[in-house]
Amino acid sequence: MKTLSRHLADNFPADYKTRVEPQDDGYLVVRVGYPINGTEATRMVSGQHVQNGLLVETILEDMRNELARSQ
């Protein structure tokens, strides 16, 4: 099973700024920024969601589409 950080690294080129911020309530805040134009997409996922690779890929695709619309 891949970690969420590994999914981010595999799905976004190095010119994107990605990070995962663990929260006290067990959720993870996932941030993907594109510094060239100053846009950022943010999602909150539970630890259980990370175990579902298809769901993670869908979330990341949604974030990628959001950033593309902003450009």
Side-chain angles (χ1 to χ4, degrees):
M1 178 178 71
K2 288 186 195 178
T3 65
L4 188 50
S5 295
R6 184 76 251 154
H7 277 286
L8 288 168
D10 289 347
N11 284 278
F12 290 95
D15 53 342
Y16 285 82
K17 183 178 178 184
T18 63
R19 65 186 182 277
V20 177
E21 302 170 354
Q23 304 298 300
D24 291 337
D25 60 5
Y27 280 85
L28 302 168
V29 175
V30 181
R31 297 183 191 276
V32 177
Y34 192 56
I36 292 172
N37 66 2
T39 59
E40 182 177 81
T42 305
R43 299 291 184 278
M44 185 174 282
V45 298
S46 75
Q48 294 174 342
H49 290 150
V50 177
Q51 296 174 14
N52 182 335
L54 181 58
L55 180 58
V56 169
E57 294 297 326
T58 302
I59 291 168
L60 296 180
E61 181 66 24
D62 182 52
M63 294 175 86
R64 194 174 11 267
N65 291 338
E66 180 180 331
L67 290 168
R69 283 190 303 270
S70 299
Q71 297 176 7

